[in-house]
Amino acid sequence: MKLSYNWLKDYLECDLTPTQIAEAMTSIGIEVDSVEEQEEIPGGLAGVVVAHVLECEPHPDSDHLHITKVDDGSPEPVQVVCGAPNVVAGQKVLFARIGTVLPGDFKIKKSKIRGVESLGMICAEDELGIGTSHDGIMVLPDDAVVGTPAKEYLHLKTEAVIEYEITANRVDAASHIGVARDLYAYLKLNDIPCKFSYPDVSAFKEGEGESIPVSVPDPDGAPKYTGTTIRGVKVGPSPEWLQKKLLSIGLHPINNIVDISNFVLFELGQPLHTFDASKIEGGEVIVRRAAEGEKIKTLDGVERSLKSYDMVIANKVKPMCIAGVFGGEDSGVTDSTVDVFLESAYFDPGSIRKTSKTHTLQTDASFRYERGADPMITEYAAKRAALLILEIAGGHIEGKMRRVCPEEPKKAVIELDYGRMQRLIGKNIGNDTIEKILTFMNYEFISKSENGSLVAAPSYMIDVTRECDVVEEVLRVYGYNNIELPTSMRMSVSPTPSPDPEAVRNYISNFLAANGFVETMNNSLTKSDYYKTLATFPEEACVRIVNPLSSDLNVMRQTLILGGLEVVAYNLNRQIGTIKSFEYGSVYRRLPEGDGTTLASYEEHPCFCLMMTGPSDKSWRSDAQKGSYFQLKGYLELLLKRYASDIYTLETESAPEDIFSEGMVYYLPGGHKQLAVMGTINPALAKKFDIKQPVFAAEINWNSLFELIKRVKVKFTELPKFPEVRRDLALLLDECVKYSDLRRSAFKAAKKLLRQVTLFDVYRGDKIPAGKKQYALNFVLQDTEKTLTDSEVEKIVGKLISTFQNEFGATLR
């Protein structure tokens, strides 16, 4: 949101600089992002100076060009070829030196024109952006001083623009007067001279005749509505002062009527809408709910189908605009408009928000209405806009201002206990200070007592309804920085569980980061289209959003893998070919209930997701290595080992084929709780994200992982003093035999002395019978109390061979 410093000072007279204003805004809770200086003319005509034409001779090879000598304040005169018909010696002109960039991004360069060197340009009004005339160069009075910068000579102004953010409850600060009000309270409290005033609307007078009637059949959607009829206006460009104010905050001027509506919106924070009165068919404005499926073409040229809960401003035939959100194409003000109907209303915030989200329309008006506009400023805003229209576009007000308000809005009345307020603040700031701040902030004192008061909050403070809300407002103006830190703190200490879930999560994140993974964070909302073809995550199991911001954010995610693929695709599109990322977040599903035909219950659980793609980095001592599923599996194995868990003791099955082309699902021992799923992403799924290279992914169920960690108590022992013994075995096995089964049997047979089993080679080929394979296994043996003898080692190896032969029909090769 943008705030013009010069515009702000129309309502708040003070000597603070733009930077000081920004600091004060931040101090009172209006966070400032930046303060920028904007030139009245882009670039500020840097490089353009007052110059004196010393000589002017006709160009020998042209009948309209002149060769001039110009004194621009430099040590030597400058030669310039000029095509203006009015250039003569002795003139004072505005001269653009070499390197100057004029409006329109036109850069002055050294050049040759018809064989004659030209070292700059004598400028016309339109070339400088200060007028429209191009009949000839701009001639200055004789007293203009040579060398004076054009910015200084033309008195070009610099506009300071403050960009700031507001929280959802501070819509009262979404205007220049709203910010000025807050600053006034802050400055007055700190005894800084200032004066605050609203624009005067006392000149507003209702006219003769009959104004366009208004009816509001549904006052719940429009609790307050005012309409003013103005006839005989002349639509045209806005005056310069109005255009400059709108341009300073990034708005493009359209015409005087529309510009006035926008001006009042950013001045007061009250949205307005102007209709062409001749297009109000039936001669009556009706504020009602739309009929289900009713059509309207909005200003963006899109025909929209309305819902029965949408509020519309209609005539007797059809809707003219979506109330508080967007205007209609057929009812707006055009260059031929003569009579206008000016709307200023207060609409129900919930209704406007629902309509805005349903039709994915976010406008300046809906932004304010859905957060709660000031219900008591509608008439004042209408008067302000009407007076500006009469001043700028002419015309006259016809009849009285139409006003429909079945029940007058009431201010929130709050009982204050100053002692309790100061305990909440954390400092005894004094009752007088509290009352001063509330007075400066336009609170109305209904009654006062020694230790408290009964106050009515300003109508624009829509979120102030309780004493604690008032404390927040007082503290904001008083200044959080003025509350000293306490020397002691009272707090209750709760016991930390063991193991601590937060500590374990942090360890896992640090473990992954130390191994080269980068943490990402994706939106929990995603698009339902992802799940239309996935059997593992069916679309009917999606948790849907009732009023989605867009079709791309209409369901809660069922898995982190799809978000991970988005991250991979985003980075691949930016020439980052090697990616290792992880994310911690929750996934959501609807679960079948009863007979399985209905979906009513919900499940939410957190997960870790790991994504890998691309080769490792190439260096002078090693070539790039391709990523693989087994590399990702190794990280999971190391992670489980840290918590004394063995990946090979887990139950497994093949990963779902719609997600993975190869992979495994791991379950906790002795149960059916899924711990993790990992593998190579199915190329068909990767193709949907425009990913052409292999991607490897793992999703770990955090609840299952933490349950596994709690089951096993980690024990630490000192390093062994006695040496290891290594032995290799080559076994001929049936294809159905798994390495995990061999490993499990080996540890069962030699659990006291066997420390490690490693598969280091797999062979299938001509020398191996059909249906067979060869595994080469390495065994590490070690006794913690003594050095193993050869006979002891051979005995253990023999026992291993016997176990493999008896249990798996293995043959030693």
Side-chain angles (χ1 to χ4, degrees):
M1 197 163 290
K2 292 185 177 182
L3 182 86
S4 164
Y5 173 74
N6 291 338
W7 191 349
L8 178 74
K9 295 195 73 175
D10 290 346
Y11 320 109
L12 181 69
E13 295 180 21
C14 66
D15 295 329
L16 271 63
T17 65
T19 302
Q20 291 172 325
I21 288 286
E23 290 172 355
M25 288 172 64
T26 300
S27 178
I28 58 178
I30 304 173
E31 185 179 355
V32 172
D33 293 332
S34 64
V35 180
E36 296 181 358
E37 297 288 340
Q38 291 184 357
E39 303 285 354
E40 186 175 346
I41 295 175
L45 297 182
V48 180
V49 297
V50 175
H52 184 203
V53 181
L54 302 176
E55 300 176 10
C56 181
E57 302 292 338
H59 194 294
D61 294 327
S62 172
D63 56 358
H64 69 281
L65 296 176
H66 296 84
I67 302 172
T68 66
K69 293 283 187 179
V70 174
D71 175 15
D72 66 345
S74 301
E76 297 293 332
V78 179
Q79 180 172 280
V80 179
V81 178
C82 179
N86 64 329
V87 61
V88 296
Q91 290 175 330
K92 296 288 182 69
V93 295
L94 287 175
F95 172 69
R97 293 168 170 162
I98 298 294
T100 299
V101 179
L102 296 177
D105 202 27
F106 178 64
K107 187 173 183 179
I108 305 301
K109 300 177 181 178
K110 181 179 178 180
S111 61
K112 277 192 175 183
I113 302 175
R114 300 282 180 95
V116 177
E117 189 174 58
S118 182
L119 304 176
M121 186 172 83
I122 303 173
C123 302
E125 284 184 4
D126 63 334
E127 292 165 337
L128 296 171
I130 59 175
T132 58
S133 173
H134 194 70
D135 296 336
I137 60 171
M138 185 176 176
V139 180
L140 307 180
D142 292 339
D143 60 357
V145 178
V146 171
T148 303
K151 180 179 179 180
E152 179 183 332
Y153 180 80
L154 297 171
H155 305 291
L156 297 181
K157 294 180 180 179
T158 299
E159 173 77 66
V161 176
I162 300 170
E163 193 156 347
Y164 68 101
E165 299 288 341
I166 59 170
T167 53
N169 65 323
R170 290 303 316 280
V171 71
D172 60 288
S175 65
H176 286 74
I177 278 183
V179 174
R181 273 191 309 242
D182 267 17
L183 287 171
Y184 172 75
Y186 173 80
L187 297 178
K188 289 292 286 185
L189 184 67
N190 290 279
D191 295 323
I192 298 173
C194 62
K195 183 180 178 182
F196 171 75
S197 60
Y198 279 90
D200 182 21
V201 296
S202 59
F204 179 86
K205 303 292 182 186
E206 293 182 335
E208 300 292 331
E210 192 70 19
S211 57
I212 296 173
V214 174
S215 63
V216 184
D218 191 341
D220 290 338
K224 191 172 185 180
Y225 191 92
T226 63
T228 307
T229 305
I230 305 174
R231 299 196 181 276
V233 301
K234 184 177 181 181
V235 178
S238 296
E240 185 180 4
W241 69 266
L242 179 54
Q243 292 193 38
K244 284 185 175 180
K245 286 190 184 296
L246 296 179
L247 288 169
S248 69
I249 58 171
L251 293 183
H252 181 68
I254 298 172
N255 61 53
N256 49 12
I257 304 297
V258 175
D259 292 350
I260 288 168
S261 297
N262 289 331
F263 172 80
V264 173
L265 170 64
F266 287 93
E267 178 185 57
L268 300 174
Q270 170 61 31
L272 304 173
H273 192 73
T274 48
F275 299 88
D276 186 327
S278 66
K279 297 176 182 177
I280 302 176
E281 298 182 47
E284 181 182 2
V285 172
I286 305 169
V287 185
R288 60 171 174 83
R289 300 281 180 182
E292 185 69 31
E294 194 170 12
K295 305 293 185 183
I296 183 173
K297 183 178 279 191
T298 47
L299 285 171
D300 55 1
V302 176
E303 185 175 75
R304 302 180 188 276
S305 181
L306 300 173
K307 302 293 184 181
S308 58
Y309 50 74
D310 294 333
M311 289 294 298
V312 296
I313 311 301
N315 53 42
K316 287 189 174 181
V317 178
K318 61 183 179 180
M320 296 188 293
C321 81
I322 304 175
V325 179
F326 211 29
E329 187 178 64
D330 299 330
S331 61
V333 173
T334 65
D335 291 345
S336 60
T337 297
V338 176
D339 304 325
V340 297
F341 178 82
L342 175 64
E343 166 195 284
S344 179
Y346 172 74
F347 296 110
D348 174 59
S351 176
I352 297 300
R353 178 173 175 79
K354 191 172 184 179
T355 295
S356 173
K357 300 309 176 190
T358 299
H359 298 287
T360 61
L361 287 170
Q362 182 72 56
T363 61
D364 289 324
S366 68
F367 176 86
R368 287 157 178 80
Y369 276 133
E370 65 189 35
R371 286 161 175 78
D374 182 358
M376 294 188 178
I377 204 175
T378 54
E379 292 174 52
Y380 175 84
K383 291 176 181 179
R384 171 68 166 156
L387 289 173
L388 287 171
I389 289 173
L390 297 182
E391 175 189 338
I392 295 170
H396 64 276
I397 295 171
E398 182 169 285
K400 64 180 181 179
M401 178 187 292
R402 297 287 181 169
R403 183 177 180 277
V404 180
C405 182
E407 185 178 350
E408 284 293 337
K410 296 178 181 177
K411 295 181 178 181
V413 177
I414 307 159
E415 187 174 352
L416 304 179
D417 181 321
Y418 293 156
R420 185 167 55 232
M421 288 178 69
Q422 290 176 104
R423 287 195 297 274
L424 281 172
I425 290 171
K427 180 180 178 180
N428 186 1
I429 65 174
N431 296 354
D432 289 344
T433 301
I434 292 175
E435 291 184 355
K436 272 186 181 180
I437 292 173
L438 296 179
T439 301
F440 296 149
M441 296 185 72
N442 296 324
Y443 280 77
E444 178 187 343
F445 285 90
I446 299 171
S447 63
K448 290 184 182 182
S449 63
E450 184 178 350
N451 296 313
S453 61
L454 188 67
V455 300
S459 58
Y460 51 80
M461 292 287 189
I462 49 97
D463 69 320
V464 177
T465 57
R466 303 167 298 169
E467 183 183 74
C468 58
D469 300 326
V470 179
V471 170
E472 182 184 350
E473 295 302 304
V474 169
L475 188 53
R476 197 166 54 76
V477 175
Y478 182 78
Y480 292 100
N481 293 335
N482 294 324
I483 307 298
E484 295 82 5
L485 292 174
T487 56
S488 61
M489 244 179 161
R490 293 179 182 178
M491 59 184 294
S492 59
V493 179
S494 57
T496 303
S498 181
D500 181 3
E502 189 66 28
V504 174
R505 277 197 298 269
N506 288 337
Y507 175 84
I508 294 172
S509 297
N510 291 336
F511 166 82
L512 294 171
N515 281 279
F517 285 82
V518 176
E519 186 170 8
T520 61
M521 185 180 292
N522 289 305
N523 198 331
S524 297
L525 300 176
T526 185
K527 60 172 73 173
S528 59
D529 289 350
Y530 284 156
Y531 300 98
K532 286 184 176 179
T533 57
L534 298 180
T536 307
F537 304 107
E539 186 181 9
E540 57 268 21
C542 288
V543 178
R544 294 191 170 274
I545 306 302
V546 177
N547 291 312
L549 295 173
S550 72
S551 58
D552 288 342
L553 299 170
N554 59 355
V555 297
M556 306 292 284
R557 61 189 176 190
Q558 293 190 53
T559 174
L560 300 183
I561 292 175
L562 300 179
L565 289 172
E566 288 180 339
V567 172
V568 170
Y570 181 89
N571 284 275
L572 290 177
N573 290 336
R574 285 153 182 80
Q575 309 304 313
I576 302 173
T578 300
I579 301 160
K580 291 169 69 176
S581 68
F582 78 94
E583 179 180 8
Y584 176 81
S586 292
V587 296
Y588 313 82
R589 294 193 75 179
R590 297 184 70 187
L591 299 176
E593 191 171 81
D595 58 2
T597 59
T598 59
L599 292 165
S601 61
Y602 298 89
E603 178 194 51
E604 173 188 349
H605 66 265
C607 293
F608 274 99
C609 179
L610 282 62
M611 306 294 295
M612 286 179 54
T613 187
S616 62
D617 293 334
K618 184 178 180 181
S619 70
W620 62 272
R621 59 196 176 102
S622 63
D623 292 331
Q625 300 294 320
K626 290 183 177 180
S628 72
Y629 155 74
F630 295 100
Q631 186 180 0
L632 185 59
K633 177 174 173 283
Y635 291 119
L636 179 60
E637 188 173 347
L638 285 173
L639 181 60
L640 293 179
K641 183 180 286 188
R642 163 62 180 81
Y643 291 102
S645 297
D646 189 346
I647 195 172
Y648 298 103
T649 63
L650 303 175
E651 298 178 18
T652 62
E653 69 178 21
S654 297
E657 295 181 356
D658 56 340
I659 306 294
F660 301 99
S661 56
E662 62 171 346
M664 299 292 290
V665 181
Y666 295 93
Y667 295 91
L668 294 181
H672 300 286
K673 290 185 178 180
Q674 181 176 308
L675 171 65
V677 58
M678 64 164 52
T680 305
I681 294 294
N682 190 316
L685 178 59
K687 188 177 180 181
K688 293 181 180 179
F689 294 84
D690 293 327
I691 300 173
K692 298 177 182 178
Q693 65 188 49
V695 180
F696 313 100
E699 188 167 81
I700 306 168
N701 185 312
W702 162 251
N703 293 337
S704 298
L705 177 61
F706 192 65
E707 182 179 329
L708 180 65
I709 291 170
K710 288 193 293 184
R711 288 183 186 181
V712 183
K713 188 172 183 179
V714 178
K715 295 180 180 179
F716 296 91
T717 59
E718 63 178 344
L719 292 172
K721 300 176 182 178
F722 301 97
E724 297 176 342
V725 178
R726 295 176 179 269
R727 290 291 184 269
D728 295 340
L729 292 178
L731 302 173
L732 186 64
L733 300 159
D734 292 335
E735 277 286 358
C736 62
V737 177
K738 297 179 181 178
Y739 163 68
S740 59
D741 295 333
L742 292 170
R743 189 178 185 279
R744 191 179 302 112
S745 295
F747 274 103
K748 187 177 181 181
K751 58 183 176 182
K752 289 185 178 180
L753 300 177
L754 185 60
R755 297 288 174 260
Q756 184 176 323
V757 180
T758 305
L759 174 65
F760 65 88
D761 187 48
V762 179
Y763 177 73
R764 297 178 179 88
D766 297 338
K767 298 178 182 179
I768 302 294
K772 298 284 185 176
K773 61 185 176 183
Q774 177 183 297
Y775 274 1
L777 301 173
N778 174 263
F779 301 88
V780 177
L781 307 172
Q782 188 180 49
D783 193 325
T784 58
E785 299 178 353
K786 62 182 176 124
T787 301
L788 290 171
T789 64
D790 288 345
S791 60
E792 289 173 325
V793 172
E794 293 306 320
K795 184 179 178 181
I796 297 170
V797 171
K799 191 174 182 180
L800 290 172
I801 294 172
S802 177
T803 298
F804 294 148
Q805 288 174 341
N806 294 334
E807 293 187 14
F808 304 103
T811 303
L812 187 66
R813 295 194 51 154

